Amino acid sequence: MPGGHEQTLRPFLWRAETLYEDTEVVSRTHDGIERYTYDEYSDRTAQLAGALTEAGIEEGDRVATFCWNHHRHFETYFAVPTIGAQLHTINPLLPDEHIRFIVQNAEDRTIFVDHSLFGKLAGALADADDEFDSVDRLVTMGEGVPEGAADLPIDVVAYEAFIDGHPTEYNWPDVDEDQPAGMCYTSGTTGMPKGVEYTHKMLWSHTMATLTPQGIPMADDDVVMPVVPMFHVNAWGMPFTATAGGAKHVYPGPSPEPEDIASLIEEEGVTVTAGVPTVWMGLQDYMEDNEVDLSTLDTVIVGGSAAPEAMIRWFDDHDVELLHAWGMTEMSPIGSVSHLKSDLEDADYETQLDRRAKQGLTVPGIEFKVVDDDGNEVPHDGDAFGELHVRGPWVTKEYFQRPEANEEDFEDGWLQTGDIVTVDTDGYLQIVDRAKDVIKSGGEWISSVELENAIMAHEDVAEATVIGVPHEKWQERPVAFVVPGAEADESTLDREVLDMLREDYPKWWLPDDVVYIDEVPKTATGKFSKKDLRDEYADQSLGGEVPEEAAPSESDD
Amino acid sequence: MPGGHEQTLRPFLWRAETLYEDTEVVSRTHDGIERYTYDEYSDRTAQLAGALTEAGIEEGDRVATFCWNHHRHFETYFAVPTIGAQLHTINPLLPDEHIRFIVQNAEDRTIFVDHSLFGKLAGALADADDEFDSVDRLVTMGEGVPEGAADLPIDVVAYEAFIDGHPTEYNWPDVDEDQPAGMCYTSGTTGMPKGVEYTHKMLWSHTMATLTPQGIPMADDDVVMPVVPMFHVNAWGMPFTATAGGAKHVYPGPSPEPEDIASLIEEEGVTVTAGVPTVWMGLQDYMEDNEVDLSTLDTVIVGGSAAPEAMIRWFDDHDVELLHAWGMTEMSPIGSVSHLKSDLEDADYETQLDRRAKQGLTVPGIEFKVVDDDGNEVPHDGDAFGELHVRGPWVTKEYFQRPEANEEDFEDGWLQTGDIVTVDTDGYLQIVDRAKDVIKSGGEWISSVELENAIMAHEDVAEATVIGVPHEKWQERPVAFVVPGAEADESTLDREVLDMLREDYPKWWLPDDVVYIDEVPKTATGKFSKKDLRDEYADQSLGGEVPEEAAPSESDD
């Protein structure tokens, strides 16, 4: 077999330390800004590898982190996988019960933990009957150990003491590209989180693909600041991509406030940054009262949830390109990026905005198909929708030890994303609903999200959600649940809402009923919980008098 | 195993036909310019796949091409590998004997051949005792078959007839990423060519890596014209990279002259092109008498042999970036590209030129080491040199059926390139000699190429070459062979040459002798043949009176 060397992470770091030894890694910590070079990063990563090896960590062992974004966390990113162990980044914002579950499920042996998160982790794990299970050591990120460390039944050691004295060279082993290098749990809205493992080959592929112009390109003149947490799918892979590209790294540390982000952009000359929309709303608010120099900033990557068009406009006004990216924990995570196609460069601004606000164009290496209930592919016309299925070298083929979930979410090598999407004639993907929320009426699908957004545009509607209610003839029909605003006239609001919808949507999309409620039930994290409403209405099957417009007719097509 | 889908070529074409169906593929042929879209390219590729399948080509079969750069050749690039067969691109400029050898060695079953090359191929193969061996079909690129086709003992069919009537959809199989997709023979300076096989995974990796900003990035606003022949390591991979990036393709057809290249750049709006220095010298000459608009052109990739600094300056003057790239057939082929590092952006122009004229910075994913005779790595100081060893996912691990060459050229997964290089403090690689030509004196190495270039700078030297002659104490010592110019005074020229070298080089670099000759022996392709001189001087071992400066002394360091 003519071959080619294994696709592992180590050569990315080798390249950075060989070509860019003086390029900086900058980190905001509780003690202020810390900075060093790739040269020192490389030395400390070797020391950490030595410390882990001496502590008995072997190939295949799982080592976890419970940390914000900083240089020590970044050191674990290369040190752990390149000795053949597996880095499991835990989301410290999860409920204790989930944290405990995933540490047990992953059988983590050592956990690196921030001082500020130490109490949270110790609390979550100390509930255990069997005293921390697999975990035999906590390494606290910094110089000393936090108060209370001595009370724990396992070793607690300070990071700097842990790596101190180990050589700055390490005899890196040849690691198999199929060896899992990383791990992250999806925070499922129902049930316990599901683990996704990332092999070296998956992370290598993801790094290369996101480095392309079709992804999130980075070069040695870039200064890259991931605001997206390093516990969220490797901060969307940016620490690896920035290293492969030889860029300067900036890590914003624990719970960065808008003023921290603003000051790091200004002082470190950040060119590329990334985070969820909330982060940038915070920056927008902050800049209403504070002057911030964004002149070095070229690109803001927004993902996690959709960026409003107004946010794209706002960054355009500040001469910064907002790039919408879409991905999933199962995809390492990037699947598509909303670059403007070159043949749209002469289109009017509103058309451009429309495309840029979508989830984007798939990056090279990813394939997708959009299928209806019968498994047939739907046309790319911007209207037809179906479930998005994806595959590619950095898309996982299974969940960790969850055969029942695998059965549900994977088919013939394709990941069934659970997202309902359209694809327009330019090839832009747009998520219109989640598969479990889409309303199936007469063999056709209605987007609950689209109806909700339309209803909430009514000035007298405070909140609204739309669910599919079982229907004996049409399978499901939409019902809208509306929280009237303070000024609303409830005797007319339901009709007004329906009249408004009638202007933009075919008749068969109109809800069969508009029900007033006091508030939309919410999940623990504040999202609308349609499940509760569905449970309540599951038995109240609609039926009997069914208007002809409950299914699409020719005239609606 | 969490997995990830196979790394194969098909998704690159899928992306192009899905997102860029209207983007063009343009081709210069004997009949003028032909143009169509990715949509039609995709249809014709499916037809070709159908035709090959009906003709009995199966997974693992080798299908060869004997063609210049045009759209039909590009159709074979995706059709052959994506049905699981292997595309063997034959260099039609090779001697008949080599062509015959590699067709036999590769056991090619079908060969696609240009009309203009039909006679050459038929002649080369018809010498066989056993009538074309494995080959059972020639497909001639175009509408009809050339004269003389009927005389051959095998089927000859016209390309358009071959694909005609086959469906424009093909049920593409899932191909294993380790299946060889391509094949190319190195034109070794000694002995028969050695075959290099490219698996899907190697070509996938190479495509991704060259698509990055550190490689030769391409996007949907690019117009890409490979002048480098498609029989030279897949035209440096550009047909694949341009497809993955969604760029427009321009193929310059058979034997393009400078005016053809100039007119394609102007008329098609070429942004990226690539070729050996000779091609660009031709363009430079042509532009002395002809006005050519290069305003769309951003980048010229130069490889194959070193681009002179003057050529870099010339393109700079025309606002075009000349990017020096280095690679090998064994590397699919790109290993490094001479991008200017961002910290050199403020350096003076001469410093920048110095770096840009080197072989460049390794692209992400490639690792190298530079080792001396004892296998120790040499410092990256721009002076020390050693043999370059490389490895990476797109570097082959063996030659096709050549165990003796494998023994010589591969060690522990590293390809021993046979190139003697320096690495400067910025990390730029520079090739200073071939391993077989470097002179080993007293445990240290002397670059024959550097001495030759220095000697040829003397105004009275017409040609010069330097070889290592066996020496009983110092192992080897340099001897210069000089062809005096018409005005030379042979009684002083040898001393003048040595005095000139003394100014720039340590004493132990100075040739022990300067020998006048009438001409430097040349190989069939016009390169200096040191082998003949070495054979002649092999027995004339130097020795006896040895100056102290025949090896480096402390003061020289």
Side-chain angles (χ1 to χ4, degrees):
Chain A
M1 216 267 291
H5 199 67
E6 303 281 290
Q7 294 173 347
T8 61
L9 293 173
R10 170 80 197 139
F12 296 138
L13 176 55
W14 173 85
R15 184 177 189 273
E17 75 196 26
T18 302
L19 301 186
Y20 299 104
E21 58 180 358
D22 296 331
T23 295
E24 286 182 322
V25 175
V26 176
S27 187
R28 172 180 161 267
T29 70
H30 286 296
D31 306 323
I33 300 294
E34 298 198 29
R35 65 179 69 240
Y36 58 49
T37 61
Y38 272 133
D39 196 30
E40 191 172 341
Y41 174 78
S42 161
D43 287 352
R44 287 173 55 89
T45 300
Q47 290 184 297
L48 175 55
L52 287 166
T53 303
E54 189 178 294
I57 298 297
E58 294 180 352
E59 186 170 311
D61 282 345
R62 283 191 200 90
V63 171
T65 60
F66 200 84
C67 302
W68 295 105
N69 294 12
H70 48 67
H71 63 292
R72 293 187 184 93
H73 200 175
F74 178 42
E75 288 163 10
T76 68
Y77 264 51
F78 275 99
V80 174
T82 53
I83 65 171
Q86 184 175 2
L87 187 73
H88 170 205
T89 51
I90 304 174
N91 179 349
L93 306 179
L94 289 177
D96 284 2
E97 183 194 0
H98 286 193
I99 292 167
R100 172 135 190 87
F101 167 78
I102 67 181
V103 169
Q104 280 179 334
N105 188 236
E107 300 180 66
D108 296 320
R109 291 196 49 201
T110 288
I111 305 179
F112 290 85
V113 54
D114 279 359
H115 282 231
S116 61
L117 298 168
F118 183 80
K120 164 88 176 164
L121 179 66
L125 297 186
D127 288 342
D129 297 332
D130 44 357
E131 292 182 350
F132 289 83
D133 304 301
S134 57
V135 183
D136 50 25
R137 181 183 303 99
L138 301 185
V139 182
T140 60
M141 288 305 206
E143 296 284 351
V145 295
E147 254 183 82
D151 303 336
L152 297 187
I154 55 169
D155 283 350
V156 180
V157 55
Y159 186 91
E160 293 302 325
F162 186 59
I163 70 169
D164 187 48
H166 287 280
T168 55
E169 300 276 337
Y170 188 87
N171 187 16
W172 303 103
D174 280 335
V175 175
D176 190 310
E177 65 187 14
D178 290 326
Q179 166 67 37
M183 186 178 208
C184 189
Y185 281 73
T186 64
S187 43
T189 45
T190 55
M192 280 295 168
K194 292 174 283 189
V196 177
E197 296 190 284
Y198 308 115
T199 63
H200 278 266
K201 187 180 172 191
M202 289 168 70
L203 295 180
W204 191 94
S205 304
H206 182 266
T207 302
M208 283 297 192
T210 51
L211 199 50
T212 67
Q214 292 71 35
I216 307 165
M218 297 175 194
D220 63 3
D221 55 353
D222 276 311
V223 180
V224 178
M225 179 169 74
V227 179
V228 51
M230 294 172 81
F231 52 76
H232 270 162
V233 203
N234 304 318
W236 303 345
M238 292 177 90
F240 296 125
T241 321
T243 305
K248 171 176 166 182
H249 298 234
V250 178
Y251 292 101
S255 320
E257 295 295 323
E259 62 179 290
D260 301 315
I261 290 168
S263 110
L264 286 168
I265 291 172
E266 282 187 327
E267 287 169 26
E268 302 300 333
V270 170
T271 62
V272 182
T273 181
V276 294
T278 322
V279 168
W280 311 118
M281 285 179 195
L283 182 66
Q284 285 175 301
D285 286 349
Y286 177 77
M287 284 177 63
E288 283 183 14
D289 301 317
N290 299 274
E291 198 151 312
V292 180
D293 178 5
L294 299 182
S295 62
T296 62
L297 196 58
D298 296 321
T299 312
V300 170
I301 311 294
V302 177
S305 56
E309 273 191 18
M311 185 177 285
I312 304 181
R313 284 178 206 271
W314 186 88
F315 276 110
D316 280 346
D317 290 343
H318 290 79
D319 208 20
V320 175
E321 185 183 21
L322 186 158
L323 264 186
H324 213 184
W326 170 81
M328 297 177 73
T329 304
E330 292 85 343
M331 297 180 75
S332 306
I334 305 287
S336 63
V337 182
S338 224
H339 290 281
L340 191 67
K341 289 175 82 169
S342 63
D343 58 6
L344 290 166
E345 266 161 30
D346 296 328
D348 61 86
Y349 185 64
E350 297 305 316
T351 303
Q352 294 182 345
L353 269 187
D354 172 74
R355 302 304 189 283
R356 292 171 61 199
K358 296 186 175 187
Q359 275 66 37
L361 305 170
T362 42
V363 297
I366 289 289
E367 289 173 288
F368 71 78
K369 57 183 181 181
V370 180
V371 297
D372 63 21
D373 261 354
D374 301 322
N376 298 317
E377 293 197 44
V378 308
H380 294 187
D381 58 8
D383 285 322
F385 47 84
E387 189 183 7
L388 178 65
H389 295 187
V390 295
R391 67 180 185 186
W394 58 95
V395 181
T396 191
K397 283 179 154 168
E398 64 180 26
Y399 293 111
F400 180 68
Q401 297 177 352
R402 293 290 279 274
E404 87 297 347
N406 292 341
E407 187 97 2
E408 198 171 307
D409 292 345
F410 298 91
E411 191 178 71
D412 293 340
W414 294 86
L415 167 67
Q416 301 174 133
T417 65
D419 281 325
I420 303 300
V421 305
T422 58
V423 187
D424 66 25
T425 53
D426 289 311
Y428 287 84
L429 286 171
Q430 181 170 30
I431 296 178
V432 296
D433 215 337
R434 288 290 298 167
K436 62 179 174 16
D437 295 334
V438 76
I439 298 150
K440 298 175 178 181
S441 173
E444 296 292 325
W445 294 0
I446 296 169
S447 163
S448 67
V449 172
E450 207 167 332
L451 287 179
E452 285 163 6
N453 290 341
I455 294 171
M456 285 194 282
H458 190 291
E459 58 179 2
D460 288 328
V461 171
E463 277 183 344
T465 190
V466 177
I467 65 168
V469 170
H471 189 286
E472 60 185 37
K473 176 165 180 186
W474 301 109
Q475 186 183 1
E476 284 183 344
R477 289 293 303 148
V479 169
F481 295 84
V482 169
V483 180
E487 308 293 313
D489 175 352
E490 297 192 11
S491 67
T492 58
L493 180 61
D494 49 357
R495 194 180 320 268
E496 287 170 32
V497 162
L498 290 173
D499 287 345
M500 191 182 71
L501 293 177
R502 209 181 313 270
E503 288 172 26
D504 291 322
Y505 295 95
K507 285 182 199 161
W508 60 276
W509 273 56
L510 298 196
D512 281 9
D513 203 356
V514 175
V515 179
Y516 296 132
I517 52 176
D518 291 336
E519 64 172 337
V520 177
K522 309 270 189 335
T523 66
T525 56
K527 291 182 180 173
F528 285 3
S529 172
K530 300 189 181 186
K531 191 173 170 297
D532 292 350
L533 286 170
R534 257 196 296 262
D535 290 346
E536 193 174 331
Y537 281 79
D539 302 329
Q540 289 181 250
S541 185
L542 299 169
E545 301 299 303
V546 177
E548 205 169 327
E549 56 267 34
S553 64
E554 290 300 317
S555 60
D556 284 320
D557 283 345
Chain B
M1 215 264 291
H5 199 67
E6 304 280 289
Q7 294 172 347
T8 61
L9 293 173
R10 171 81 197 136
F12 296 138
L13 176 54
W14 173 84
R15 184 177 189 273
E17 73 195 29
T18 302
L19 301 186
Y20 299 105
E21 56 179 359
D22 296 331
T23 296
E24 286 182 323
V25 174
V26 176
S27 187
R28 172 181 160 267
T29 70
H30 286 297
D31 307 323
I33 300 294
E34 297 197 29
R35 66 180 67 238
Y36 58 47
T37 62
Y38 272 133
D39 196 30
E40 191 172 342
Y41 174 79
S42 160
D43 286 352
R44 287 172 55 90
T45 300
Q47 290 184 297
L48 175 55
L52 287 165
T53 304
E54 189 178 293
I57 298 298
E58 293 180 353
E59 187 170 310
D61 282 344
R62 282 189 203 91
V63 171
T65 60
F66 200 83
C67 302
W68 295 104
N69 295 11
H70 48 66
H71 64 292
R72 293 187 184 93
H73 200 176
F74 177 42
E75 289 164 9
T76 69
Y77 263 51
F78 274 99
V80 174
T82 52
I83 65 170
Q86 185 176 2
L87 187 73
H88 169 206
T89 52
I90 305 174
N91 180 349
L93 306 180
L94 289 176
D96 283 2
E97 183 196 0
H98 286 194
I99 292 168
R100 171 135 191 86
F101 168 78
I102 66 180
V103 169
Q104 279 179 336
N105 189 236
E107 300 180 66
D108 296 319
R109 291 197 49 201
T110 288
I111 305 180
F112 290 84
V113 53
D114 279 358
H115 282 229
S116 61
L117 298 167
F118 183 79
K120 164 88 176 164
L121 179 66
L125 297 186
D127 288 342
D129 297 333
D130 43 356
E131 292 181 348
F132 290 82
D133 304 300
S134 57
V135 183
D136 50 25
R137 181 185 302 99
L138 301 185
V139 181
T140 60
M141 289 304 207
E143 296 285 349
V145 296
E147 256 182 83
D151 304 336
L152 297 188
I154 56 169
D155 282 350
V156 181
V157 54
Y159 187 91
E160 293 302 326
F162 186 60
I163 70 169
D164 186 47
H166 286 279
T168 55
E169 299 277 338
Y170 189 89
N171 187 18
W172 303 104
D174 280 337
V175 175
D176 190 310
E177 65 188 14
D178 290 326
Q179 166 67 36
M183 186 179 208
C184 190
Y185 281 75
T186 65
S187 44
T189 45
T190 54
M192 280 296 167
K194 292 176 282 190
V196 177
E197 295 190 284
Y198 308 114
T199 64
H200 277 267
K201 187 180 172 191
M202 289 168 70
L203 295 181
W204 191 95
S205 304
H206 182 266
T207 302
M208 283 297 192
T210 50
L211 200 50
T212 68
Q214 293 71 37
I216 306 165
M218 297 174 195
D220 63 3
D221 54 353
D222 277 310
V223 179
V224 178
M225 178 170 74
V227 179
V228 51
M230 293 172 81
F231 53 76
H232 269 162
V233 202
N234 303 318
W236 303 344
M238 294 178 89
F240 296 125
T241 321
T243 306
K248 172 178 165 181
H249 299 234
V250 178
Y251 293 101
S255 321
E257 295 296 322
E259 62 180 290
D260 300 316
I261 290 169
S263 111
L264 286 168
I265 292 172
E266 283 188 327
E267 287 169 26
E268 302 300 332
V270 170
T271 62
V272 182
T273 181
V276 295
T278 321
V279 168
W280 311 117
M281 286 177 194
L283 183 67
Q284 285 174 302
D285 286 348
Y286 177 77
M287 285 177 64
E288 282 183 14
D289 301 316
N290 299 273
E291 197 151 311
V292 180
D293 177 5
L294 299 181
S295 62
T296 62
L297 195 59
D298 296 322
T299 312
V300 170
I301 312 294
V302 177
S305 57
E309 273 190 19
M311 185 177 285
I312 304 180
R313 282 179 208 272
W314 186 88
F315 275 111
D316 280 346
D317 290 343
H318 290 78
D319 207 20
V320 175
E321 185 183 21
L322 186 157
L323 264 185
H324 214 184
W326 169 82
M328 298 176 73
T329 305
E330 292 85 343
M331 297 179 76
S332 307
I334 303 288
S336 63
V337 183
S338 225
H339 289 281
L340 191 68
K341 289 175 83 169
S342 63
D343 58 6
L344 289 167
E345 267 161 30
D346 297 328
D348 61 86
Y349 186 62
E350 298 304 315
T351 303
Q352 293 182 345
L353 269 187
D354 172 74
R355 301 303 188 285
R356 292 170 61 199
K358 296 186 176 187
Q359 275 66 37
L361 306 170
T362 42
V363 296
I366 289 290
E367 291 173 288
F368 71 78
K369 57 182 182 180
V370 180
V371 298
D372 64 21
D373 262 353
D374 302 323
N376 298 318
E377 293 197 44
V378 308
H380 294 186
D381 59 7
D383 286 323
F385 46 84
E387 188 184 7
L388 178 65
H389 295 188
V390 295
R391 67 179 184 186
W394 57 94
V395 181
T396 191
K397 283 181 154 165
E398 63 180 26
Y399 292 111
F400 179 69
Q401 296 178 354
R402 293 290 280 272
E404 87 297 347
N406 292 341
E407 187 97 4
E408 198 171 304
D409 292 346
F410 298 92
E411 193 178 70
D412 293 339
W414 293 87
L415 167 67
Q416 302 175 134
T417 65
D419 281 325
I420 303 300
V421 304
T422 59
V423 186
D424 66 27
T425 53
D426 289 312
Y428 288 84
L429 286 170
Q430 182 169 30
I431 296 178
V432 296
D433 216 337
R434 287 291 298 167
K436 62 181 174 16
D437 295 333
V438 75
I439 298 151
K440 297 175 179 183
S441 173
E444 296 293 324
W445 293 1
I446 296 169
S447 162
S448 65
V449 172
E450 207 167 331
L451 286 179
E452 286 163 7
N453 289 341
I455 294 170
M456 286 194 282
H458 191 292
E459 57 179 1
D460 287 327
V461 171
E463 277 184 342
T465 189
V466 177
I467 65 168
V469 169
H471 188 287
E472 61 184 35
K473 175 164 181 190
W474 301 109
Q475 187 183 358
E476 285 183 345
R477 289 292 303 149
V479 170
F481 295 84
V482 168
V483 180
E487 309 291 312
D489 175 353
E490 296 193 11
S491 67
T492 58
L493 180 60
D494 51 356
R495 192 180 321 269
E496 286 170 35
V497 162
L498 291 172
D499 287 346
M500 189 182 71
L501 293 177
R502 209 181 314 270
E503 287 172 28
D504 290 323
Y505 294 97
K507 284 183 201 162
W508 59 276
W509 273 55
L510 299 196
D512 281 9
D513 203 356
V514 175
V515 180
Y516 297 131
I517 52 177
D518 292 335
E519 63 173 337
V520 177
K522 309 269 189 339
T523 67
T525 57
K527 290 183 179 173
F528 284 2
S529 172
K530 299 189 181 186
K531 191 173 170 298
D532 291 351
L533 285 171
R534 257 197 296 264
D535 289 347
E536 193 175 332
Y537 281 79
D539 302 329
Q540 288 182 251
S541 185
L542 298 167
E545 301 300 305
V546 177
E548 204 167 328
E549 56 267 31
S553 65
E554 290 301 318
S555 61
D556 283 322
D557 284 343

